[in-house]
């Protein structure tokens, strides 16, 4: 991921991560990884809970764990994705994802992304809203737009 749509260089993000996962049970998994994110290397370990309904139209996931990059932080993430069928080939699409990262002194970074649209077998498109907060939320960004995702 390379995120560079900000006016201040301190918010530009280069992010590469490799993760190894172990499935503990049908709903729980343990993840360990390492990567590079400006300003340097990081390591992470987290536990994830995931629920999917039988129709595979509802996916809920929550994870919490520690990241080490020049100090430890607690990172939590939440995802809910709902894709009910509209026709034989077309589904509605709703996705909310939120991540919060804190150290022992402050809320270092968080984001919330909302996607509402349509999905077929390989293509998703619709409206998007992003909100991001940096450094105890004194610095924040919001944007509204459209999204298109194609799975090869």
């Amino acid at each position: 991921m390379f995120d560079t749509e900000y006016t201040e260089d301190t918010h530009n993000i280069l992010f590469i991560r490799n993760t190894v996962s172990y499935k503990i049970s049908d709903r729980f998994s343990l993840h360990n990884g390492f990567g590079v994110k400006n300003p340097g290397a990081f390591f992470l370990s987290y536990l994830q809970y995931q629920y999917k309904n039988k129709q595979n139209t509802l996916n809920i996931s929550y994870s919490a764990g520690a990241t080490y990059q020049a100090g430890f932080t607690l990172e939590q993430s939440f995802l809910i994705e709902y894709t009910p069928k509209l026709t034989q080939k077309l589904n509605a699409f709703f996705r909310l994802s939120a991540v919060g990262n804190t150290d022992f002194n402050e809320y270092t970074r968080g984001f919330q992304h909302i996607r509402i649209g349509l999905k077929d077998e390989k293509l998703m498109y619709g409206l998007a809203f992003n909100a991001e907060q940096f450094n105890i939320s004194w610095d924040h960004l919001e944007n509204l737009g459209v999204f298109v995702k194609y799975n090869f």
Side-chain angles (χ1 to χ4, degrees), residues 23-36:
K23 185 176 179 180
I24 298 169
S25 68
D26 285 342
R27 299 216 173 142
F28 286 95
S29 55
L30 180 64
H31 306 266
N32 293 296
F34 65 93
V36 176

Side-chain angles (χ1 to χ4, degrees), residues 47-111:
L47 182 66
Q48 180 180 34
Y49 171 83
Q50 186 171 25
Y51 167 81
K52 289 185 178 185
N53 68 352
K54 291 179 182 178
Q55 300 81 17
N56 205 24
T57 59
L58 179 64
N59 180 12
I60 299 172
S61 174
Y62 172 77
S63 66
T67 300
Y68 180 79
Q69 183 182 33
F72 284 98
T73 61
L74 169 66
E75 185 168 311
Q76 298 181 78
S77 69
F78 175 74
L79 170 88
I80 184 167
E81 188 173 287
Y82 183 54
T83 56
K85 273 202 175 299
L86 297 175
T87 67
Q88 186 67 21
K89 293 186 176 187
L90 191 65
N91 293 46
F93 179 78
F94 172 79
R95 180 183 179 128
L96 167 67
S97 58
V99 172
N101 197 314
T102 61
D103 63 18
F104 294 106
N105 300 311
E106 67 181 7
Y107 180 79
T108 55
R109 183 162 191 260
F111 65 80

Side-chain angles (χ1 to χ4, degrees), residues 34-47:
F34 65 93
V36 176
K37 175 176 70 172
N38 50 325
F42 69 94
F43 302 90
L44 64 104
S45 184
Y46 62 95
L47 182 66

